[in-house]
């Protein structure tokens, strides 16, 4: 299995875990767990593939992705009572999934010869939209839009590494690893140290 | 008209009725009724067709689907005051729509030679996602995620019949009818007798 | 640049402004502004292109669309405190964006030889779905479903002009201008004078 395929499977697995954990909050049955796990696990990559007109969509040509997501649902269904005291651990796993997904997603766009802005957008789409759909469907505040989470910012930064790697002369494996590391590092800084960008604050109108 | 085309039109019609009924709760105008009716009626099948790269999407090659959805919107706009005292009747109609859509959707995937897991997923996508979009847009709790509704479970069970029919040696018409009957039967048991799967209950953490 | 390309860019720009303004309410950072600006600006046209199987999607073949949306995000991030006292002005800009997007979107479907119902639907999809996704993601009541906004109605009316222009014998440029004018005029009447269609009112059930 190539590095990209490995990252892609890891991203699906860990995003599926987060989907199943959201299902545990909503006290769903096992099929509800699997539904949210699949939606979260493959959602972002599916939108990427539809936009890039990759056919078939990645999990349709390789059903192990669905198997991985269902496995994550099963594991969480029987062990979520352990996880619940470990919300921090989940945030960290999610940060890992994000870094895998961004690197893999941007790399796929770059390999298709897309321009730098599209590579960046596809990294962010792959990383952010599965979790966004999970949160919208489960009626939670989307993590990508929460203040101070740097979620989209990490994705853009990581994907930009892949978009501009040809300029910097990095080899393909190193590029992917650096992209994932930068995504994870920024997200980790946000979780652990509260790193954030200035937010918009409304000021009294001048007129 | 073939059995599959008949099921497909029936599913669009009845899902459109449910979309228009949600519009009546939000007190929309007639165009708002049509908007939600079309979204609910053709939404699941549209995502199925985009994922399967079926081109054109089913309602674009045959505009009678749109006509059926608009008709449903008109009927409900002028008669919803009768329906409102009949929420049970609507739940039953919706169960029928689900069984039509799952059988038709899974059959389309099977006819394209997709693998069993993809056939099952496409049945669930066709059956569940139109209603999911209706509920998300109208800001209602998604029916597919409500406890004890067995919504996704019925879809998976019905679609599995079609996925594994070749093994069982059923003929194509019988397969579709059995799939629809199993979907409807499970959903009916859930509505009438409260059939459900065990849900996840959080237990005190061990540590 | 052709008239259609001009309308398309203008629609992306002004919809992106509205997305960024929603971001300012949620007090996001600059990347959050860009995320909502891009989603709102290109969302409707993206769904149109996926449904019509136009490949590549419009903003992938011409990255200036993304640049325009990011520019809108930047402008709003630094000036939203001025805009906030001008909600009316924004409603009017949004009405302009809607009229551009409906005319451009319906025209694209007509140029592909689609039937009249599909042309109308594609106009409404292009005009309405970017804002719908913005509102769903930001957890606001979707403008397209608000009572008395005539939002979908304006889109359908404007797109119908393009669908039936061949019958009326209008030239292509005039058709697009009339379509945009009708969309804008109806929406303006709704904002300024409260024009609306009768809404569904529940009556006491007869039985």
């Amino acid at each position: 299995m190539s590095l990209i395929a490995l990252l892609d499977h890891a991203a699906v697995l860990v995003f599926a875990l987060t989907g199943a954990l959201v299902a545990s909050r909503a006290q769903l049955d096992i099929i509800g767990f699997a539904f949210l796990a699949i939606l979260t696990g493959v959602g972002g990559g599916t939108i990427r593939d539809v936009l890039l007109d990759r056919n078939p969509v990645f999990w349709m040509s390789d059903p192990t992705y669905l198997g991985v997501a269902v496995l994550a649902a099963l594991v969480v269904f029987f062990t979520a009572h352990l996880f619940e005291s470990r919300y921090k651990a989940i945030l960290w796993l999610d940060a890992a999934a994000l870094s895998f997904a961004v690197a893999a997603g941007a790399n796929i766009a770059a390999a298709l010869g897309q321009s730098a802005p599209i590579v960046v957008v596809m990294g962010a789409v792959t990383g952010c939209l599965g979790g966004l759909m999970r949160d919208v469907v489960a009626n939670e505040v989307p993590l990508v839009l929460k203040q101070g989470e740097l979620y989209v910012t990490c994705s853009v930064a990581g994907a930009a590494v892949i978009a501009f790697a040809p300029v910097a002369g990095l080899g393909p494996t190193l590029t992917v690893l650096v992209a994932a590391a930068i995504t994870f590092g920024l997200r980790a800084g946000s979780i652990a140290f509260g790193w954030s960008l200035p937010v918009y604050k409304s000021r009294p109108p001048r007129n």
Side-chain angles (χ1 to χ4, degrees), chain A:
Chain A
M1 192 183 285
S2 70
L3 175 63
I4 289 295
L6 192 68
L7 285 175
D8 230 18
H9 280 83
V12 169
L13 174 66
V14 189
F15 273 138
L17 289 173
T18 70
L21 279 160
V22 168
S24 78
R25 282 171 215 266
Q27 306 216 332
L28 301 179
D29 61 32
I30 180 65
I31 303 288
F33 274 62
F35 180 83
L36 273 184
I38 291 174
L39 180 70
T40 311
V42 306
T46 300
I47 295 178
R48 174 200 64 209
D49 285 357
V50 168
L51 292 176
L52 290 173
D53 205 32
R54 292 178 85 213
N55 182 23
V57 172
F58 73 105
W59 50 269
M60 292 178 59
S61 52
D62 178 0
T64 59
Y65 288 104
L66 294 177
V68 160
V70 170
L71 184 70
L74 275 169
V75 167
V76 172
F77 190 74
F78 291 109
T79 66
H81 60 291
L82 301 174
F83 278 93
E84 276 170 324
S85 59
R86 295 168 185 171
Y87 181 68
K88 279 269 171 192
I90 297 312
L91 266 186
W92 286 100
L93 284 172
D94 181 74
L98 181 70
S99 65
F100 303 155
V102 166
N107 200 266
I108 284 170
L112 291 172
Q114 297 289 337
S115 64
I118 303 300
V119 168
V120 170
V121 168
M122 289 302 150
V125 161
T126 312
C128 299
L129 295 193
L132 179 59
M133 289 195 284
R134 170 198 67 205
D135 294 341
V136 164
V137 166
N139 211 19
E140 307 223 345
V141 177
L143 194 57
V144 300
L145 291 185
K146 264 191 194 154
Q147 279 181 32
E149 292 287 348
L150 281 193
Y151 213 88
V152 183
T153 305
C154 303
S155 311
V156 169
V161 170
I162 290 180
F164 296 107
V167 181
L170 295 177
T173 303
L174 189 58
T175 299
V176 167
L177 292 177
V178 170
I182 284 183
T183 305
F184 185 80
L186 286 174
R187 184 85 182 98
S190 168
I191 298 174
F193 308 121
W195 291 359
S196 66
L197 288 176
V199 301
Y200 173 78
K201 289 241 194 289
S202 60
R203 285 158 280 179
R206 284 192 213 152
N207 49 7

